[in-house]
Amino acid sequence: MSLWMFRTVVKRFQNKWRSYRHRFVPWVVLNLSKNEKTLRHVTEPSKDKLLPDEEVSRRLLKLFRVLLRSHHGELRAAHHTHFLTQGTSGEDKCGGDPACGLDAMLQSLGFCIDRKPSTLPSAGTGVFVTKGLVPKGATVAMYPGTVYQAYEPILLQSIRNPFVFRCIDGVLIDGNDKGISKMVFRSCSGRDRMGPFMMSDTSWLTESPQNPLAVGQYVNNCSNNRPANVCYQEYDVPDKFPIELRQYLPNVNYSLDTQRPLRCVVLVALRDIRAGEELFSNYYTIC
Ligand SMILES: C[S@@+](CC[C@H](N)C(=O)[O-])C[C@H]1O[C@@H](n2cnc3c(N)ncnc32)[C@H](O)[C@@H]1O
């Protein structure tokens, strides 16, 4: 093969690769050809938002305020009984009681989601609606993890890591709750605290996240007979987001000197989803 031909082939591959909005490496590469029918096409990146950012903010704030109130209640109760041992690490403010976050979710959003074995054979864990009804257009989950700008190195953390999510602008979110990814998230989160306030939530790395939405990294890909019922949407946290509620955000910037607002990704319901149903997203979006 001549050098010219080689370059043309590489260029063609690069263009196709870049046009994929979301990819979980290496699973997407292996399965892309099998699943062409499930590709989602959008005409322009800006047309890909189902919910305006203000609406995403409003819904997150509603949940986070209920979480804050219930945590204050828990802390007061713990003070009374002299069993306050959690300190202010920001992790496990529910005292390990997942019901605390789930109650807040049911109260503020009208549904609960949780992780369970997937209904798909050999797909590992999935995410299910366990109570209530998720109405079409609801913010049903968040994709937690460390946020890498397109120019930042992620090589070590990305090796054999199926949880690296690629946003439309090349920003990557590492949602792996194990190994080096977990260490990186914890260290960045500890670094960014402002006085008494945590700027992010590390409890998504445990079995019982205090923000119950932060399990979106476990949502499995749709297939020809299991169509997507949720889709991803980027959400940049606005400057005015209250400082005392940032402790529930499951994302943190890898670099301290990132000049952009914190990138989060939410999953939005494409239709009403009932209790018992598994969530399926679309790993491939072409624009
Ligand atoms: C982002 S993770 C999702 C969580 C994963 N189910 C787990 O338990 O760790 C992506 C991985 O889930 C699995 N997966 C996702 N969708 C699948 C599907 N439709 N069929 C089989 N495996 C799937 C693949 O192993 C893929 O690499």
PDB file of all heavy atoms in Angstrom, residues 24-28 31 35 116 118 120-126 143 161-164 178 216-223 226 232 278 280-281 283, ligand 1:
ATOM      1  N   PHE A  24     -17.914   3.910  24.333  1.00  0.00           N
ATOM      2  CA  PHE A  24     -17.316   3.259  25.470  1.00  0.00           C
ATOM      3  C   PHE A  24     -16.297   2.300  24.877  1.00  0.00           C
ATOM      4  O   PHE A  24     -16.643   1.306  24.295  1.00  0.00           O
ATOM      5  CB  PHE A  24     -18.361   2.509  26.289  1.00  0.00           C
ATOM      6  CG  PHE A  24     -19.335   3.432  26.945  1.00  0.00           C
ATOM      7  CD1 PHE A  24     -20.488   3.822  26.304  1.00  0.00           C
ATOM      8  CD2 PHE A  24     -19.081   3.925  28.212  1.00  0.00           C
ATOM      9  CE1 PHE A  24     -21.388   4.671  26.911  1.00  0.00           C
ATOM     10  CE2 PHE A  24     -19.980   4.774  28.819  1.00  0.00           C
ATOM     11  CZ  PHE A  24     -21.131   5.148  28.165  1.00  0.00           C
ATOM     12  N   VAL A  25     -15.050   2.651  24.983  1.00  0.00           N
ATOM     13  CA  VAL A  25     -13.974   1.899  24.369  1.00  0.00           C
ATOM     14  C   VAL A  25     -13.667   0.707  25.282  1.00  0.00           C
ATOM     15  O   VAL A  25     -13.647   0.896  26.479  1.00  0.00           O
ATOM     16  CB  VAL A  25     -12.722   2.791  24.269  1.00  0.00           C
ATOM     17  CG1 VAL A  25     -11.601   2.072  23.531  1.00  0.00           C
ATOM     18  CG2 VAL A  25     -13.065   4.121  23.604  1.00  0.00           C
ATOM     19  N   PRO A  26     -13.413  -0.509  24.831  1.00  0.00           N
ATOM     20  CA  PRO A  26     -13.389  -0.908  23.417  1.00  0.00           C
ATOM     21  C   PRO A  26     -14.685  -1.575  22.958  1.00  0.00           C
ATOM     22  O   PRO A  26     -14.769  -2.019  21.824  1.00  0.00           O
ATOM     23  CB  PRO A  26     -12.255  -1.936  23.421  1.00  0.00           C
ATOM     24  CG  PRO A  26     -12.371  -2.591  24.759  1.00  0.00           C
ATOM     25  CD  PRO A  26     -12.917  -1.564  25.714  1.00  0.00           C
ATOM     26  N   TRP A  27     -15.694  -1.620  23.811  1.00  0.00           N
ATOM     27  CA  TRP A  27     -16.914  -2.355  23.498  1.00  0.00           C
ATOM     28  C   TRP A  27     -17.572  -1.851  22.213  1.00  0.00           C
ATOM     29  O   TRP A  27     -18.010  -2.622  21.379  1.00  0.00           O
ATOM     30  CB  TRP A  27     -17.876  -2.241  24.678  1.00  0.00           C
ATOM     31  CG  TRP A  27     -18.972  -3.229  24.620  1.00  0.00           C
ATOM     32  CD1 TRP A  27     -18.913  -4.555  24.937  1.00  0.00           C
ATOM     33  CD2 TRP A  27     -20.303  -2.991  24.194  1.00  0.00           C
ATOM     34  NE1 TRP A  27     -20.125  -5.146  24.748  1.00  0.00           N
ATOM     35  CE2 TRP A  27     -20.997  -4.208  24.298  1.00  0.00           C
ATOM     36  CE3 TRP A  27     -20.990  -1.868  23.735  1.00  0.00           C
ATOM     37  CZ2 TRP A  27     -22.330  -4.326  23.970  1.00  0.00           C
ATOM     38  CZ3 TRP A  27     -22.325  -1.983  23.407  1.00  0.00           C
ATOM     39  CH2 TRP A  27     -22.976  -3.205  23.527  1.00  0.00           C
ATOM     40  N   VAL A  28     -17.571  -0.540  22.057  1.00  0.00           N
ATOM     41  CA  VAL A  28     -18.221   0.047  20.886  1.00  0.00           C
ATOM     42  C   VAL A  28     -17.547  -0.424  19.608  1.00  0.00           C
ATOM     43  O   VAL A  28     -18.204  -0.780  18.631  1.00  0.00           O
ATOM     44  CB  VAL A  28     -18.181   1.586  20.988  1.00  0.00           C
ATOM     45  CG1 VAL A  28     -18.507   2.216  19.654  1.00  0.00           C
ATOM     46  CG2 VAL A  28     -19.160   2.066  22.022  1.00  0.00           C
ATOM     47  N   ASN A  31     -18.618  -3.925  18.764  1.00  0.00           N
ATOM     48  CA  ASN A  31     -20.042  -4.162  18.517  1.00  0.00           C
ATOM     49  C   ASN A  31     -20.688  -3.250  17.489  1.00  0.00           C
ATOM     50  O   ASN A  31     -21.840  -3.446  17.139  1.00  0.00           O
ATOM     51  CB  ASN A  31     -20.813  -4.044  19.839  1.00  0.00           C
ATOM     52  CG  ASN A  31     -20.491  -5.206  20.739  1.00  0.00           C
ATOM     53  OD1 ASN A  31     -21.078  -6.261  20.639  1.00  0.00           O
ATOM     54  ND2 ASN A  31     -19.499  -5.018  21.592  1.00  0.00           N
ATOM     55  N   ASN A  35     -24.510  -3.616  15.372  1.00  0.00           N
ATOM     56  CA  ASN A  35     -25.622  -2.843  15.901  1.00  0.00           C
ATOM     57  C   ASN A  35     -25.957  -1.590  15.100  1.00  0.00           C
ATOM     58  O   ASN A  35     -26.504  -0.660  15.645  1.00  0.00           O
ATOM     59  CB  ASN A  35     -25.273  -2.393  17.332  1.00  0.00           C
ATOM     60  CG  ASN A  35     -25.923  -3.296  18.348  1.00  0.00           C
ATOM     61  OD1 ASN A  35     -26.650  -4.187  17.979  1.00  0.00           O
ATOM     62  ND2 ASN A  35     -25.672  -3.048  19.604  1.00  0.00           N
ATOM     63  N   LYS A 116     -29.137  -3.425  39.377  1.00  0.00           N
ATOM     64  CA  LYS A 116     -29.480  -4.848  39.562  1.00  0.00           C
ATOM     65  C   LYS A 116     -28.897  -5.613  38.371  1.00  0.00           C
ATOM     66  O   LYS A 116     -28.551  -4.986  37.358  1.00  0.00           O
ATOM     67  CB  LYS A 116     -31.009  -5.026  39.549  1.00  0.00           C
ATOM     68  CG  LYS A 116     -31.698  -4.506  40.793  1.00  0.00           C
ATOM     69  CD  LYS A 116     -33.034  -5.177  40.999  1.00  0.00           C
ATOM     70  CE  LYS A 116     -34.151  -4.526  40.206  1.00  0.00           C
ATOM     71  NZ  LYS A 116     -35.441  -5.197  40.403  1.00  0.00           N
ATOM     72  N   SER A 118     -28.560  -7.168  34.956  1.00  0.00           N
ATOM     73  CA  SER A 118     -29.281  -6.794  33.736  1.00  0.00           C
ATOM     74  C   SER A 118     -30.193  -7.922  33.258  1.00  0.00           C
ATOM     75  O   SER A 118     -29.934  -9.097  33.519  1.00  0.00           O
ATOM     76  CB  SER A 118     -28.272  -6.462  32.632  1.00  0.00           C
ATOM     77  OG  SER A 118     -28.928  -6.242  31.414  1.00  0.00           O
ATOM     78  N   LEU A 120     -30.400  -8.494  30.183  1.00  0.00           N
ATOM     79  CA  LEU A 120     -29.701  -9.008  29.001  1.00  0.00           C
ATOM     80  C   LEU A 120     -28.665 -10.038  29.425  1.00  0.00           C
ATOM     81  O   LEU A 120     -27.940  -9.801  30.398  1.00  0.00           O
ATOM     82  CB  LEU A 120     -28.968  -7.870  28.281  1.00  0.00           C
ATOM     83  CG  LEU A 120     -29.813  -6.783  27.647  1.00  0.00           C
ATOM     84  CD1 LEU A 120     -28.911  -5.695  27.086  1.00  0.00           C
ATOM     85  CD2 LEU A 120     -30.694  -7.367  26.558  1.00  0.00           C
ATOM     86  N   PRO A 121     -28.590 -11.154  28.710  1.00  0.00           N
ATOM     87  CA  PRO A 121     -27.585 -12.147  29.080  1.00  0.00           C
ATOM     88  C   PRO A 121     -26.175 -11.566  28.934  1.00  0.00           C
ATOM     89  O   PRO A 121     -25.903 -10.835  27.993  1.00  0.00           O
ATOM     90  CB  PRO A 121     -27.824 -13.297  28.091  1.00  0.00           C
ATOM     91  CG  PRO A 121     -28.774 -12.799  27.079  1.00  0.00           C
ATOM     92  CD  PRO A 121     -29.397 -11.524  27.540  1.00  0.00           C
ATOM     93  N   SER A 122     -25.342 -11.862  29.875  1.00  0.00           N
ATOM     94  CA  SER A 122     -23.926 -11.452  29.921  1.00  0.00           C
ATOM     95  C   SER A 122     -23.687  -9.939  29.776  1.00  0.00           C
ATOM     96  O   SER A 122     -22.671  -9.522  29.251  1.00  0.00           O
ATOM     97  CB  SER A 122     -23.081 -12.245  28.925  1.00  0.00           C
ATOM     98  OG  SER A 122     -23.593 -12.135  27.632  1.00  0.00           O
ATOM     99  N   ALA A 123     -24.637  -9.142  30.233  1.00  0.00           N
ATOM    100  CA  ALA A 123     -24.421  -7.685  30.204  1.00  0.00           C
ATOM    101  C   ALA A 123     -24.093  -7.145  31.589  1.00  0.00           C
ATOM    102  O   ALA A 123     -24.056  -5.923  31.788  1.00  0.00           O
ATOM    103  CB  ALA A 123     -25.630  -6.977  29.617  1.00  0.00           C
ATOM    104  N   GLY A 124     -23.871  -8.020  32.559  1.00  0.00           N
ATOM    105  CA  GLY A 124     -23.470  -7.565  33.899  1.00  0.00           C
ATOM    106  C   GLY A 124     -24.595  -6.828  34.594  1.00  0.00           C
ATOM    107  O   GLY A 124     -25.763  -7.214  34.540  1.00  0.00           O
ATOM    108  N   THR A 125     -24.231  -5.732  35.235  1.00  0.00           N
ATOM    109  CA  THR A 125     -25.200  -4.947  36.000  1.00  0.00           C
ATOM    110  C   THR A 125     -25.914  -3.958  35.088  1.00  0.00           C
ATOM    111  O   THR A 125     -25.328  -3.460  34.125  1.00  0.00           O
ATOM    112  CB  THR A 125     -24.438  -4.171  37.101  1.00  0.00           C
ATOM    113  OG1 THR A 125     -23.734  -5.119  37.892  1.00  0.00           O
ATOM    114  CG2 THR A 125     -25.349  -3.349  37.977  1.00  0.00           C
ATOM    115  N   GLY A 126     -27.171  -3.690  35.404  1.00  0.00           N
ATOM    116  CA  GLY A 126     -27.920  -2.668  34.679  1.00  0.00           C
ATOM    117  C   GLY A 126     -28.603  -1.744  35.677  1.00  0.00           C
ATOM    118  O   GLY A 126     -28.446  -1.897  36.891  1.00  0.00           O
ATOM    119  N   TYR A 143     -24.322  10.637  34.931  1.00  0.00           N
ATOM    120  CA  TYR A 143     -23.134   9.827  34.623  1.00  0.00           C
ATOM    121  C   TYR A 143     -21.982  10.349  35.475  1.00  0.00           C
ATOM    122  O   TYR A 143     -21.416  11.403  35.183  1.00  0.00           O
ATOM    123  CB  TYR A 143     -22.793   9.934  33.133  1.00  0.00           C
ATOM    124  CG  TYR A 143     -21.848   8.842  32.701  1.00  0.00           C
ATOM    125  CD1 TYR A 143     -22.319   7.689  32.099  1.00  0.00           C
ATOM    126  CD2 TYR A 143     -20.478   8.931  32.957  1.00  0.00           C
ATOM    127  CE1 TYR A 143     -21.458   6.660  31.750  1.00  0.00           C
ATOM    128  CE2 TYR A 143     -19.619   7.901  32.613  1.00  0.00           C
ATOM    129  CZ  TYR A 143     -20.121   6.781  32.005  1.00  0.00           C
ATOM    130  OH  TYR A 143     -19.261   5.753  31.668  1.00  0.00           O
ATOM    131  N   ASN A 161     -10.868  -0.113  30.220  1.00  0.00           N
ATOM    132  CA  ASN A 161     -11.867   0.557  31.054  1.00  0.00           C
ATOM    133  C   ASN A 161     -13.123   0.825  30.219  1.00  0.00           C
ATOM    134  O   ASN A 161     -13.135   1.713  29.377  1.00  0.00           O
ATOM    135  CB  ASN A 161     -11.268   1.873  31.573  1.00  0.00           C
ATOM    136  CG  ASN A 161     -12.222   2.638  32.467  1.00  0.00           C
ATOM    137  OD1 ASN A 161     -13.385   2.258  32.599  1.00  0.00           O
ATOM    138  ND2 ASN A 161     -11.738   3.700  33.070  1.00  0.00           N
ATOM    139  N   PRO A 162     -14.208   0.061  30.443  1.00  0.00           N
ATOM    140  CA  PRO A 162     -15.404   0.246  29.612  1.00  0.00           C
ATOM    141  C   PRO A 162     -16.265   1.433  30.044  1.00  0.00           C
ATOM    142  O   PRO A 162     -17.340   1.653  29.496  1.00  0.00           O
ATOM    143  CB  PRO A 162     -16.164  -1.072  29.814  1.00  0.00           C
ATOM    144  CG  PRO A 162     -15.759  -1.550  31.159  1.00  0.00           C
ATOM    145  CD  PRO A 162     -14.386  -1.010  31.453  1.00  0.00           C
ATOM    146  N   PHE A 163     -15.809   2.187  31.048  1.00  0.00           N
ATOM    147  CA  PHE A 163     -16.641   3.264  31.598  1.00  0.00           C
ATOM    148  C   PHE A 163     -16.223   4.664  31.133  1.00  0.00           C
ATOM    149  O   PHE A 163     -16.652   5.650  31.711  1.00  0.00           O
ATOM    150  CB  PHE A 163     -16.613   3.217  33.132  1.00  0.00           C
ATOM    151  CG  PHE A 163     -17.333   2.034  33.700  1.00  0.00           C
ATOM    152  CD1 PHE A 163     -16.652   0.888  34.042  1.00  0.00           C
ATOM    153  CD2 PHE A 163     -18.707   2.059  33.881  1.00  0.00           C
ATOM    154  CE1 PHE A 163     -17.313  -0.210  34.566  1.00  0.00           C
ATOM    155  CE2 PHE A 163     -19.382   0.961  34.399  1.00  0.00           C
ATOM    156  CZ  PHE A 163     -18.688  -0.175  34.747  1.00  0.00           C
ATOM    157  N   VAL A 164     -15.345   4.720  30.125  1.00  0.00           N
ATOM    158  CA  VAL A 164     -14.942   6.051  29.657  1.00  0.00           C
ATOM    159  C   VAL A 164     -15.952   6.539  28.619  1.00  0.00           C
ATOM    160  O   VAL A 164     -16.111   5.929  27.562  1.00  0.00           O
ATOM    161  CB  VAL A 164     -13.513   6.052  29.079  1.00  0.00           C
ATOM    162  CG1 VAL A 164     -13.152   7.442  28.563  1.00  0.00           C
ATOM    163  CG2 VAL A 164     -12.518   5.608  30.139  1.00  0.00           C
ATOM    164  N   LYS A 178     -13.676   1.676  40.218  1.00  0.00           N
ATOM    165  CA  LYS A 178     -12.645   0.780  40.784  1.00  0.00           C
ATOM    166  C   LYS A 178     -11.239   1.222  40.369  1.00  0.00           C
ATOM    167  O   LYS A 178     -11.085   2.056  39.471  1.00  0.00           O
ATOM    168  CB  LYS A 178     -12.867  -0.643  40.285  1.00  0.00           C
ATOM    169  CG  LYS A 178     -14.210  -1.175  40.725  1.00  0.00           C
ATOM    170  CD  LYS A 178     -14.385  -2.647  40.496  1.00  0.00           C
ATOM    171  CE  LYS A 178     -15.729  -3.090  41.065  1.00  0.00           C
ATOM    172  NZ  LYS A 178     -16.870  -2.394  40.445  1.00  0.00           N
ATOM    173  N   GLY A 216     -25.638   6.272  36.466  1.00  0.00           N
ATOM    174  CA  GLY A 216     -25.833   6.262  35.001  1.00  0.00           C
ATOM    175  C   GLY A 216     -24.755   5.522  34.238  1.00  0.00           C
ATOM    176  O   GLY A 216     -24.968   5.119  33.092  1.00  0.00           O
ATOM    177  N   GLN A 217     -23.596   5.324  34.872  1.00  0.00           N
ATOM    178  CA  GLN A 217     -22.509   4.606  34.175  1.00  0.00           C
ATOM    179  C   GLN A 217     -22.829   3.120  34.029  1.00  0.00           C
ATOM    180  O   GLN A 217     -22.160   2.406  33.295  1.00  0.00           O
ATOM    181  CB  GLN A 217     -21.170   4.820  34.906  1.00  0.00           C
ATOM    182  CG  GLN A 217     -20.912   3.991  36.155  1.00  0.00           C
ATOM    183  CD  GLN A 217     -21.587   4.528  37.416  1.00  0.00           C
ATOM    184  OE1 GLN A 217     -22.660   5.126  37.365  1.00  0.00           O
ATOM    185  NE2 GLN A 217     -20.973   4.311  38.557  1.00  0.00           N
ATOM    186  N   TYR A 218     -23.853   2.631  34.755  1.00  0.00           N
ATOM    187  CA  TYR A 218     -24.229   1.212  34.667  1.00  0.00           C
ATOM    188  C   TYR A 218     -25.376   0.958  33.685  1.00  0.00           C
ATOM    189  O   TYR A 218     -25.827  -0.174  33.540  1.00  0.00           O
ATOM    190  CB  TYR A 218     -24.583   0.664  36.056  1.00  0.00           C
ATOM    191  CG  TYR A 218     -23.334   0.324  36.845  1.00  0.00           C
ATOM    192  CD1 TYR A 218     -22.795   1.222  37.759  1.00  0.00           C
ATOM    193  CD2 TYR A 218     -22.675  -0.881  36.633  1.00  0.00           C
ATOM    194  CE1 TYR A 218     -21.616   0.930  38.444  1.00  0.00           C
ATOM    195  CE2 TYR A 218     -21.507  -1.183  37.316  1.00  0.00           C
ATOM    196  CZ  TYR A 218     -20.992  -0.276  38.216  1.00  0.00           C
ATOM    197  OH  TYR A 218     -19.830  -0.576  38.872  1.00  0.00           O
ATOM    198  N   VAL A 219     -25.851   2.017  33.033  1.00  0.00           N
ATOM    199  CA  VAL A 219     -26.937   1.818  32.052  1.00  0.00           C
ATOM    200  C   VAL A 219     -26.363   1.105  30.822  1.00  0.00           C
ATOM    201  O   VAL A 219     -25.336   1.513  30.280  1.00  0.00           O
ATOM    202  CB  VAL A 219     -27.572   3.179  31.669  1.00  0.00           C
ATOM    203  CG1 VAL A 219     -28.540   3.021  30.501  1.00  0.00           C
ATOM    204  CG2 VAL A 219     -28.282   3.788  32.877  1.00  0.00           C
ATOM    205  N   ASN A 220     -27.018   0.047  30.405  1.00  0.00           N
ATOM    206  CA  ASN A 220     -26.529  -0.753  29.275  1.00  0.00           C
ATOM    207  C   ASN A 220     -27.013  -0.207  27.935  1.00  0.00           C
ATOM    208  O   ASN A 220     -27.943   0.610  27.877  1.00  0.00           O
ATOM    209  CB  ASN A 220     -26.957  -2.211  29.447  1.00  0.00           C
ATOM    210  CG  ASN A 220     -26.091  -2.921  30.473  1.00  0.00           C
ATOM    211  OD1 ASN A 220     -24.861  -2.737  30.493  1.00  0.00           O
ATOM    212  ND2 ASN A 220     -26.710  -3.712  31.330  1.00  0.00           N
ATOM    213  N   ASN A 221     -26.368  -0.681  26.892  1.00  0.00           N
ATOM    214  CA  ASN A 221     -26.696  -0.230  25.546  1.00  0.00           C
ATOM    215  C   ASN A 221     -27.951  -0.933  25.020  1.00  0.00           C
ATOM    216  O   ASN A 221     -28.184  -2.109  25.308  1.00  0.00           O
ATOM    217  CB  ASN A 221     -25.515  -0.528  24.615  1.00  0.00           C
ATOM    218  CG  ASN A 221     -25.705   0.098  23.251  1.00  0.00           C
ATOM    219  OD1 ASN A 221     -26.076   1.272  23.150  1.00  0.00           O
ATOM    220  ND2 ASN A 221     -25.481  -0.667  22.211  1.00  0.00           N
ATOM    221  N   CYS A 222     -28.733  -0.195  24.234  1.00  0.00           N
ATOM    222  CA  CYS A 222     -29.936  -0.772  23.633  1.00  0.00           C
ATOM    223  C   CYS A 222     -29.539  -1.807  22.571  1.00  0.00           C
ATOM    224  O   CYS A 222     -28.374  -1.874  22.165  1.00  0.00           O
ATOM    225  CB  CYS A 222     -30.764   0.335  22.992  1.00  0.00           C
ATOM    226  SG  CYS A 222     -29.890   1.211  21.686  1.00  0.00           S
ATOM    227  N   SER A 223     -30.505  -2.590  22.155  1.00  0.00           N
ATOM    228  CA  SER A 223     -30.236  -3.540  21.073  1.00  0.00           C
ATOM    229  C   SER A 223     -31.447  -3.508  20.152  1.00  0.00           C
ATOM    230  O   SER A 223     -32.414  -2.781  20.423  1.00  0.00           O
ATOM    231  CB  SER A 223     -30.002  -4.944  21.642  1.00  0.00           C
ATOM    232  OG  SER A 223     -31.094  -5.300  22.440  1.00  0.00           O
ATOM    233  N   ARG A 226     -34.426  -4.300  22.202  1.00  0.00           N
ATOM    234  CA  ARG A 226     -34.577  -3.522  23.441  1.00  0.00           C
ATOM    235  C   ARG A 226     -34.234  -2.063  23.135  1.00  0.00           C
ATOM    236  O   ARG A 226     -33.101  -1.625  23.342  1.00  0.00           O
ATOM    237  CB  ARG A 226     -33.649  -4.047  24.551  1.00  0.00           C
ATOM    238  CG  ARG A 226     -33.741  -5.536  24.814  1.00  0.00           C
ATOM    239  CD  ARG A 226     -35.136  -5.975  25.247  1.00  0.00           C
ATOM    240  NE  ARG A 226     -35.510  -5.440  26.528  1.00  0.00           N
ATOM    241  CZ  ARG A 226     -35.218  -5.999  27.701  1.00  0.00           C
ATOM    242  NH1 ARG A 226     -34.552  -7.142  27.725  1.00  0.00           N
ATOM    243  NH2 ARG A 226     -35.587  -5.454  28.830  1.00  0.00           N
ATOM    244  N   TYR A 232     -28.403  10.382  26.539  1.00  0.00           N
ATOM    245  CA  TYR A 232     -27.445  11.221  27.269  1.00  0.00           C
ATOM    246  C   TYR A 232     -27.599  12.677  26.863  1.00  0.00           C
ATOM    247  O   TYR A 232     -27.938  12.975  25.720  1.00  0.00           O
ATOM    248  CB  TYR A 232     -26.006  10.797  26.941  1.00  0.00           C
ATOM    249  CG  TYR A 232     -25.706   9.368  27.270  1.00  0.00           C
ATOM    250  CD1 TYR A 232     -25.661   8.406  26.265  1.00  0.00           C
ATOM    251  CD2 TYR A 232     -25.475   8.977  28.574  1.00  0.00           C
ATOM    252  CE1 TYR A 232     -25.388   7.090  26.560  1.00  0.00           C
ATOM    253  CE2 TYR A 232     -25.196   7.649  28.875  1.00  0.00           C
ATOM    254  CZ  TYR A 232     -25.156   6.710  27.861  1.00  0.00           C
ATOM    255  OH  TYR A 232     -24.891   5.405  28.149  1.00  0.00           O
ATOM    256  N   GLU A 278     -35.911  -1.964  32.796  1.00  0.00           N
ATOM    257  CA  GLU A 278     -34.481  -1.618  32.781  1.00  0.00           C
ATOM    258  C   GLU A 278     -34.256  -0.415  31.867  1.00  0.00           C
ATOM    259  O   GLU A 278     -34.960  -0.245  30.864  1.00  0.00           O
ATOM    260  CB  GLU A 278     -33.666  -2.824  32.260  1.00  0.00           C
ATOM    261  CG  GLU A 278     -32.161  -2.534  32.258  1.00  0.00           C
ATOM    262  CD  GLU A 278     -31.276  -3.755  31.982  1.00  0.00           C
ATOM    263  OE1 GLU A 278     -31.805  -4.882  31.864  1.00  0.00           O
ATOM    264  OE2 GLU A 278     -30.045  -3.555  31.892  1.00  0.00           O
ATOM    265  N   PHE A 280     -32.212   1.586  29.075  1.00  0.00           N
ATOM    266  CA  PHE A 280     -31.273   1.341  27.981  1.00  0.00           C
ATOM    267  C   PHE A 280     -30.993   2.656  27.270  1.00  0.00           C
ATOM    268  O   PHE A 280     -31.920   3.392  26.933  1.00  0.00           O
ATOM    269  CB  PHE A 280     -31.849   0.343  26.960  1.00  0.00           C
ATOM    270  CG  PHE A 280     -31.948  -1.047  27.506  1.00  0.00           C
ATOM    271  CD1 PHE A 280     -33.176  -1.591  27.847  1.00  0.00           C
ATOM    272  CD2 PHE A 280     -30.797  -1.804  27.704  1.00  0.00           C
ATOM    273  CE1 PHE A 280     -33.269  -2.870  28.374  1.00  0.00           C
ATOM    274  CE2 PHE A 280     -30.887  -3.087  28.234  1.00  0.00           C
ATOM    275  CZ  PHE A 280     -32.115  -3.611  28.574  1.00  0.00           C
ATOM    276  N   SER A 281     -29.698   2.921  27.068  1.00  0.00           N
ATOM    277  CA  SER A 281     -29.320   4.147  26.363  1.00  0.00           C
ATOM    278  C   SER A 281     -28.798   3.762  24.991  1.00  0.00           C
ATOM    279  O   SER A 281     -28.778   2.593  24.633  1.00  0.00           O
ATOM    280  CB  SER A 281     -28.231   4.865  27.148  1.00  0.00           C
ATOM    281  OG  SER A 281     -27.101   4.026  27.236  1.00  0.00           O
ATOM    282  N   TYR A 283     -25.403   3.954  22.988  1.00  0.00           N
ATOM    283  CA  TYR A 283     -23.981   4.285  23.093  1.00  0.00           C
ATOM    284  C   TYR A 283     -23.454   5.011  21.859  1.00  0.00           C
ATOM    285  O   TYR A 283     -22.422   5.629  21.900  1.00  0.00           O
ATOM    286  CB  TYR A 283     -23.147   3.010  23.279  1.00  0.00           C
ATOM    287  CG  TYR A 283     -23.211   2.378  24.643  1.00  0.00           C
ATOM    288  CD1 TYR A 283     -24.107   2.790  25.618  1.00  0.00           C
ATOM    289  CD2 TYR A 283     -22.346   1.340  24.967  1.00  0.00           C
ATOM    290  CE1 TYR A 283     -24.151   2.170  26.856  1.00  0.00           C
ATOM    291  CE2 TYR A 283     -22.380   0.721  26.204  1.00  0.00           C
ATOM    292  CZ  TYR A 283     -23.288   1.136  27.143  1.00  0.00           C
ATOM    293  OH  TYR A 283     -23.315   0.524  28.375  1.00  0.00           O
TER     294      TYR A 283
HETATM  295  C1  LIG B   1     -20.615   1.381  30.627  1.00  0.00           C
HETATM  296  S1  LIG B   1     -20.551  -0.316  31.024  1.00  0.00           S
HETATM  297  C2  LIG B   1     -22.195  -0.662  31.546  1.00  0.00           C
HETATM  298  C3  LIG B   1     -22.213  -1.434  32.868  1.00  0.00           C
HETATM  299  C4  LIG B   1     -21.943  -2.913  32.731  1.00  0.00           C
HETATM  300  N1  LIG B   1     -23.169  -3.622  32.441  1.00  0.00           N
HETATM  301  C5  LIG B   1     -21.311  -3.476  34.011  1.00  0.00           C
HETATM  302  O1  LIG B   1     -21.903  -4.306  34.687  1.00  0.00           O
HETATM  303  O2  LIG B   1     -20.189  -3.077  34.321  1.00  0.00           O
HETATM  304  C6  LIG B   1     -20.432  -0.909  29.406  1.00  0.00           C
HETATM  305  C7  LIG B   1     -20.262  -2.407  29.335  1.00  0.00           C
HETATM  306  O3  LIG B   1     -21.517  -3.059  29.594  1.00  0.00           O
HETATM  307  C8  LIG B   1     -21.683  -4.183  28.758  1.00  0.00           C
HETATM  308  N2  LIG B   1     -22.880  -3.955  27.918  1.00  0.00           N
HETATM  309  C9  LIG B   1     -23.535  -2.809  27.748  1.00  0.00           C
HETATM  310  N3  LIG B   1     -24.601  -2.972  26.952  1.00  0.00           N
HETATM  311  C10 LIG B   1     -24.626  -4.270  26.601  1.00  0.00           C
HETATM  312  C11 LIG B   1     -25.480  -5.053  25.763  1.00  0.00           C
HETATM  313  N4  LIG B   1     -26.543  -4.531  25.151  1.00  0.00           N
HETATM  314  N5  LIG B   1     -25.200  -6.380  25.631  1.00  0.00           N
HETATM  315  C12 LIG B   1     -24.132  -6.922  26.262  1.00  0.00           C
HETATM  316  N6  LIG B   1     -23.286  -6.229  27.054  1.00  0.00           N
HETATM  317  C13 LIG B   1     -23.525  -4.920  27.217  1.00  0.00           C
HETATM  318  C14 LIG B   1     -20.428  -4.288  27.921  1.00  0.00           C
HETATM  319  O4  LIG B   1     -19.571  -5.203  28.568  1.00  0.00           O
HETATM  320  C15 LIG B   1     -19.844  -2.893  27.973  1.00  0.00           C
HETATM  321  O5  LIG B   1     -18.450  -2.891  27.857  1.00  0.00           O
END
